[in-house]
């Protein structure tokens, strides 16, 4: 049974995600954010099965822009079973969140339910079978925006080609929907197609997990072919430093009522360095969104790119009982409609006490 009390004090140079010549003026403010997280884990002594609960609640209080104040919370279940040949894991969560959303360009509230089921089975020393099912649904509490959902099923047969490389063919099927209210017709996108799975593991230093495929999609604007991929690469040179890279491309329903679907490509690179008892984390992420087909809504938010630089320095204080973190972030949002583009700086100081 674990608890974590957190406290964040942050300055944001552009809380409203605005620009001098844009739709909104840029306004800065200070934010205070206390939080409580808890988790409970129960498992068998042999490690064959486990069960867990988790939850957190966070309060956001702005010094001047109190219209953006919100209380966010979530709770969930997780568990699974593992034997010498089979492993099956699941987790599900419910969340209620509110805040300034860059895809909406204003304060936005939503509730979401997400679930994930993953499993693999070892057929022989050189062959295995794996599957995954992911589901996520979002209900927009802010009037004028769509309720969206996403379901993706993956299956693959893997062969241990060498002691370091595991690969094999697979299949992916996904459904994306947007409930846009009585005045708009419900929209649905289905995509199915082959994928190629490839894992590479060199001792504990290099670990690569990848999946790439071509999906044949049935969209409201007609049939299409959409490339999808998921890549995760970790390099741990020593206990002092390491690198990580992640790349994802997939299709999502847009939050705009009557809007349709966007292909989203995201990339993130991170660097971690241990400096005595402190830890330095540097990161850069980039996301590109491109609308698919002709839709009823033409919004600059949809044809956009988002660049985010982050830096944090964490160190233990009060006899290692509390973690202190200094954080910096620079965000740059560029859209096809320049009046909706913005950038801003965030700087914060946080404390976390785990017990």
């Amino acid at each position: 049974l674990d608890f974590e009390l957190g406290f964040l004090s942050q300055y944001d140079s552009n809380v409203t995600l605005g620009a001098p010549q844009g739709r909104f003026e840029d306004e800065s403010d200070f934010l205070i954010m206390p939080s409580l997280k808890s988790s409970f884990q129960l498992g068998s002594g042999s490690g064959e099965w486990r069960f867990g609960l988790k939850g957190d609640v966070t309060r956001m209080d702005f010094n001047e822009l109190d219209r953006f104040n919100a209380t966010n919370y979530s709770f969930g279940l997780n568990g699974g079973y593992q034997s010498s040949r089979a492993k099956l894991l699941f987790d599900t969560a419910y969340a209620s969140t509110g805040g300034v959303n860059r895809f909406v360009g204003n304060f936005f509230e939503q509730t979401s339910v997400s679930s994930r089921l993953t499993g693999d089975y070892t057929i022989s020393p050189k062959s295995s079978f794996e599957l995954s099912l992911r589901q996520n649904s979002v209900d927009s509490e802010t009037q004028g925006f769509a309720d969206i959902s996403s379901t993706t099923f993956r299956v693959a047969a893997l062969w241990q080609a060498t002691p370091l490389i595991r690969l094999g063919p697979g299949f992916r099927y996904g459904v994306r929907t947007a409930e846009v209210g009585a005045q708009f017709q419900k929209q649905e996108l289905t995509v199915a197609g082959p994928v190629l799975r490839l894992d590479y593991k060199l001792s504990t230093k290099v670990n690569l997990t990848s999946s790439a495929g071509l999906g044949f999609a049935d969209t409201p604007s007609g049939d299409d072919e959409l490339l999808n991929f998921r890549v995760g690469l970790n390099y741990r040179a020593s206990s002092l430093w390491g690198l990580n890279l992640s790349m994802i491309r997939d299709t999502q329903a847009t939050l705009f009522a009557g809007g349709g679907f966007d292909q989203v490509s995201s990339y993130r690179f991170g660097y971690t360095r241990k400096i005595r008892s402190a830890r330095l984390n540097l990161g850069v992420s980039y996301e590109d969104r491109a609308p698919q087909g002709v839709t009823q809504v033409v919004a600059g938010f949809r044809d956009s790119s988002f660049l985010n630089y982050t830096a944090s320095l964490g160190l233990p204080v009060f006899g290692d009982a509390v973690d202190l973190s200094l954080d910096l972030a620079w965000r740059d949002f560029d859209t096809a409609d320049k009046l909706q583009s913005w950038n801003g700086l965030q700087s914060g100081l946080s404390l976390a006490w785990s017990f």
Side-chain angles (χ1 to χ4, degrees):
L1 179 62
D2 297 316
F3 290 94
E4 180 181 289
L5 286 173
F7 182 84
L8 167 67
S9 176
Q10 179 179 276
Y11 168 77
D12 192 330
S13 69
N14 193 353
V15 177
T16 53
L17 310 185
Q21 304 301 323
R23 294 200 316 156
F24 308 104
E25 268 197 52
D26 50 335
E27 297 184 65
S28 61
D29 203 355
F30 286 91
L31 166 68
I32 294 177
M33 191 164 66
S35 63
L36 171 64
K37 299 179 181 179
S38 65
S39 64
F40 171 77
Q41 294 289 333
L42 176 67
S44 62
S46 61
E48 289 186 345
W49 63 268
R50 71 171 189 262
F51 176 78
L53 303 170
K54 58 184 178 181
D56 67 80
V57 59
T58 302
R59 174 65 184 176
M60 297 193 305
D61 280 312
F62 288 88
N63 185 41
E64 296 181 1
L65 303 174
D66 55 5
R67 66 183 185 274
F68 295 142
N69 292 352
T71 300
N72 300 329
Y73 63 89
S74 69
F75 57 86
L77 306 172
N78 61 81
Y81 173 84
Q82 182 171 356
S83 66
S84 59
R85 302 187 68 174
K87 180 169 65 174
L88 186 66
L89 303 174
F90 80 91
D91 63 72
T92 183
Y94 172 87
S96 174
T97 57
V100 185
N101 188 301
R102 73 176 188 269
F103 303 127
V104 173
N106 210 333
F107 187 78
F108 179 74
E109 292 180 293
Q110 66 182 31
T111 60
S112 63
V113 177
S114 60
S115 302
R116 180 179 61 176
L117 177 70
T118 60
D120 59 68
Y121 180 77
T122 301
I123 302 172
S124 71
K126 284 203 169 186
S127 61
S128 61
F129 175 83
E130 69 173 24
L131 62 86
S132 70
L133 177 64
R134 295 173 181 262
Q135 182 277 335
N136 184 63
S137 60
V138 175
D139 290 337
S140 300
E141 302 297 323
T142 301
Q143 189 175 4
F145 294 94
D147 299 334
I148 63 176
S149 68
S150 171
T151 302
T152 304
F153 173 75
R154 301 171 187 266
V155 62
L158 299 176
W159 173 54
Q160 195 74 43
T162 73
L164 304 179
I165 298 176
R166 190 173 67 148
L167 56 83
F171 180 79
R172 175 181 183 265
Y173 176 81
V175 179
R176 313 288 184 259
T177 64
E179 277 296 344
V180 295
Q183 69 273 32
F184 295 103
Q185 184 180 0
K186 176 182 176 180
Q187 297 179 331
E188 181 175 283
L189 178 147
T190 59
V191 58
V195 296
L196 175 65
R197 283 274 286 106
L198 171 64
D199 297 345
Y200 175 78
K201 188 172 184 179
L202 178 60
S203 66
T204 58
K205 288 189 175 182
V206 179
N207 186 14
L208 169 70
T209 302
S210 63
S211 173
L214 183 64
F216 298 93
D218 181 12
T219 72
S221 59
D223 295 337
D224 206 348
E225 296 179 3
L226 301 175
L227 176 67
N228 64 85
F229 54 76
R230 300 177 68 90
V231 178
L233 174 64
N234 290 291
Y235 176 69
R236 181 67 60 181
S238 68
S239 61
L240 294 178
W241 69 277
L243 304 172
N244 61 79
L245 172 69
S246 65
M247 301 186 297
I248 300 175
R249 173 176 286 181
D250 208 341
T251 307
Q252 297 178 354
T254 178
L255 290 169
F256 293 96
F261 303 89
D262 301 334
Q263 190 167 47
V264 183
S265 304
S266 62
Y267 310 87
R268 188 186 187 284
F269 175 78
Y271 170 79
T272 301
R273 176 77 184 188
K274 188 176 181 181
I275 307 172
R276 295 187 179 180
S277 61
R279 184 166 294 275
L280 174 67
N281 292 290
L282 303 175
V284 57
S285 60
Y286 175 80
E287 180 182 280
D288 178 76
R289 302 181 73 90
Q292 296 299 303
V294 179
T295 66
Q296 300 177 32
V297 174
V298 179
F301 297 108
R302 298 186 55 201
D303 190 0
S304 62
S305 62
F306 182 62
L307 185 61
N308 189 22
Y309 298 95
T310 60
S312 68
L313 180 66
L315 64 157
V317 293
F318 302 120
D320 297 346
V322 178
D323 288 327
L324 172 69
S325 180
L326 302 172
D327 306 286
L328 287 173
W330 172 260
R331 303 178 299 166
D332 192 308
F333 187 62
D334 187 32
T335 74
D337 180 0
K338 296 303 180 183
L339 295 179
Q340 298 174 5
S341 300
W342 55 268
N343 56 53
L345 172 70
Q346 290 180 327
S347 60
L349 173 68
S350 64
L351 295 170
W353 176 36
S354 301
F355 56 96

